[in-house]
Amino acid sequence: QTCALPISASVSYLTLVMEGHREYIVVPSGVTLARVLRNRRVPEDLVPCTPGGEKLPGAMVVGREIRNGALVLLQPAEVSTQAAADGAAALQDVAEAERSPIVSWAAVTIALLLSASAVLGVTSRSRTHTLIAAGLMLLLGLLYALRPCQGHPVSETLATVAFGACAGILVAASNFDDARYQTLICGFAAAGALATVRWAWRGPKDPPTERVSGDCAAVGLLGASAILLCMLTKLDVVFVYAALFGVAAPLMQALPGFSVNLPQSRLIDEATIVREASSVRGAKPSHLDPVTGEEAATIVKVGDARYRLWTLLLCADVVATLPAMLRAAGHGGVQGALAGVSVGCAGLAFLLVPRTAAAAYVRILPRATVGLLLIASTFVMARNDAINRHIHPYMAFGTMTVLALVVLVASIPINRGRKSLAFTRMGDILQSFCCTWSLPFALCGMGVVTLVRTGGIP
């Protein structure tokens, strides 16, 4: 249909939607929307709006302010006002959700920098100033814990945890005595406490946030309890570092199955299982309810969030405990060799993690951790005289470079779609070996055998 307007060489196409009916019209470019509606005899009580609910003034010019092919909705005044309000609210929610990761990761960066400065002794030596900074970090962590969920459970929870850990480290830094144990205890406890607050406050409204914050709370409180037990039993804290470093590789391998938590009652219809005799004390099994699409989507979101969280935590665990392992490897002897083998096992296990994760940083972080591990190991070997007597650092660096080139060349046909069952089996065997022996080698490299033989007596 065409509009009864003067013929022009330049025309524009519009689609009018009124009471569920569509009308496609051709109008000359340069006329106002009000004139088009008046020529189409549109009732004056109908207001032109965009599909998002934004009102279109009648003075807008077709072809310039209203683009060619635009869709114009004609709605009553009260409906268009509500639609505009809903559209504005939806746009605001989208903008807040897009800003949420930026705000969260900025908070994590600030907390990490302040924690590092406190550990290295760069911050003020005034006890009052340190405690004030700790209180400020705790307040910011509490505010982040109470933030509404914006669809990014990992970054939002990690911001809370980072501020809590920073507050605990600053509290320990206010005590200028030997603070190895109390720094770890305060950091883990404060992070776990703030994660518990977010789990209790925001968790019931969002399942991914509930599981992520629950995992962070469990890690924080269990870590603080383990280190407190070591302090009470006068066990050296390096054994805690060794245990944390050694357990990273097997946990990384177990992440795909560990992340998804699916109840057994959703997989097995217990009511249809034939039993020889029912127990008097046993509850009568109910029939299996159908699994809805919403429930399946929630399970996938929760599993994906936990996979991303634990990847970040395990990579941070390896980076944080790597100095202690390299220090043990630099002592030489059998224990030093075992500590070095443990570092190599962790590196290979992280290098062989799957490359098919959805999030880019989940694919990149383990391999970036391996690169940092290689650089730090080469630096330690170059500065250690005991190792230089047997292995020249340039030889080690050359060996690692050749190994990296071999891996790169082998990955080219794999990226082009060629699959090799032999390489797959070799990778699986090597990864299983590294994950199995990473923890025993780490503990033996720290001297757990000597500790058991002497009963902790020096």
Side-chain angles (χ1 to χ4, degrees):
Q1 299 181 7
T2 58
C3 181
L5 293 171
I7 299 177
S8 174
S10 178
V11 296
S12 297
Y13 299 88
L14 293 180
T15 302
L16 301 180
V17 180
M18 180 174 54
E19 297 180 352
H21 300 285
R22 289 176 177 259
E23 184 178 0
Y24 305 95
I25 62 174
V26 181
V27 299
S29 299
V31 299
T32 62
L33 178 62
R35 184 180 177 187
V36 173
L37 298 179
R38 187 168 55 253
N39 281 274
R40 299 305 305 167
R41 295 183 175 83
V42 175
E44 296 182 358
D45 59 340
L46 296 180
V47 179
C49 302
T50 63
E54 183 181 356
K55 183 179 178 181
L56 296 175
M60 298 183 71
V61 179
V62 177
R64 186 170 67 243
E65 298 172 336
I66 300 178
R67 63 177 178 82
N68 185 17
L71 179 66
V72 180
L73 304 181
L74 301 174
Q75 299 176 342
E78 60 275 7
V79 176
S80 62
T81 303
Q82 182 62 33
D86 295 341
L91 290 176
Q92 183 178 2
D93 293 340
V94 171
E96 292 179 357
E98 291 177 351
R99 289 195 302 267
S100 180
I102 300 175
V103 175
S104 300
W105 288 118
V108 171
T109 304
I110 294 172
L112 290 178
L113 292 176
L114 190 55
S115 301
S117 63
V119 172
L120 298 175
V122 180
T123 53
S124 174
R125 303 297 294 178
S126 173
R127 179 184 179 89
T128 304
H129 293 168
T130 306
L131 289 177
I132 291 175
L136 179 60
M137 292 296 103
L138 188 62
L139 178 61
L140 288 175
L142 184 60
L143 293 177
Y144 270 81
L146 301 179
R147 284 179 64 200
C149 302
Q150 299 291 341
H152 303 276
V154 176
S155 59
E156 293 164 4
T157 304
L158 285 181
T160 303
V161 171
F163 274 127
C166 180
I169 292 173
L170 289 174
V171 168
S174 62
N175 183 6
F176 304 133
D177 297 331
D178 184 12
R180 290 188 304 167
Y181 290 99
Q182 65 180 2
T183 300
L184 294 173
I185 293 173
C186 293
F188 274 110
L194 287 182
T196 304
V197 172
R198 184 163 184 82
W199 170 80
W201 185 258
R202 294 297 181 186
K205 302 177 183 178
D206 187 57
T209 300
E210 180 181 13
R211 296 311 300 268
V212 168
S213 57
D215 288 350
C216 290
V219 169
L221 298 179
L222 288 176
S225 302
I227 298 168
L228 179 61
L229 181 63
C230 292
M231 185 180 68
L232 295 178
T233 57
K234 301 186 184 307
L235 184 65
D236 197 346
V237 73
V238 295
F239 292 104
V240 179
Y241 296 152
L244 291 176
F245 184 88
V247 80
L251 281 182
M252 182 65 75
Q253 187 185 28
L255 273 187
F258 169 74
S259 301
V260 179
N261 185 14
L262 188 60
Q264 182 178 354
S265 60
R266 306 303 292 156
L267 298 174
I268 301 175
D269 191 357
E270 298 179 350
T272 61
I273 296 177
V274 178
R275 300 185 178 185
E276 295 182 359
S278 60
S279 174
V280 178
R281 295 180 299 274
K284 184 178 180 180
S286 58
H287 287 279
L288 180 65
D289 295 330
V291 179
T292 62
E294 182 179 358
E295 182 181 0
T298 301
I299 292 174
V300 171
K301 289 180 181 178
V302 170
D304 182 63
R306 296 187 74 191
Y307 193 94
R308 299 184 183 195
L309 170 71
W310 281 97
T311 300
L312 288 169
L313 291 181
L314 293 177
C315 291
D317 171 28
V318 170
V319 173
T321 56
L322 180 61
M325 297 300 302
L326 294 179
R327 195 179 303 114
H331 292 163
V334 177
Q335 291 187 4
L338 291 177
V341 172
S342 176
V343 174
C345 288
L348 287 175
F350 274 58
L351 189 64
L352 294 172
V353 296
R355 298 180 294 107
T356 56
Y361 67 87
V362 174
R363 300 191 299 268
I364 295 173
L365 268 182
R367 290 158 182 86
T369 304
V370 175
L372 180 62
L373 187 148
L374 289 175
I375 295 173
S377 301
T378 305
F379 180 75
V380 170
M381 291 171 63
R383 294 176 61 90
N384 189 275
D385 296 333
I387 297 178
N388 288 338
R389 295 192 190 100
H390 303 87
I391 302 176
H392 198 277
Y394 292 108
M395 182 185 302
F397 183 78
T399 303
M400 294 177 183
T401 303
V402 172
L403 180 62
L405 289 176
V406 170
V407 173
L408 179 62
V409 172
S411 65
I412 293 176
I414 297 176
N415 291 331
R416 292 180 177 178
R418 296 183 61 183
K419 305 298 182 181
S420 174
L421 183 59
F423 279 127
T424 301
R425 291 298 303 151
M426 290 171 57
D428 292 341
I429 294 172
L430 185 60
Q431 185 183 25
S432 299
F433 175 84
C434 294
C435 293
T436 302
W437 291 100
S438 176
L439 180 58
F441 284 154
L443 293 176
C444 292
M446 284 296 181
V448 71
V449 176
T450 306
L451 179 70
V452 173
R453 287 173 56 190
T454 61
I457 300 176

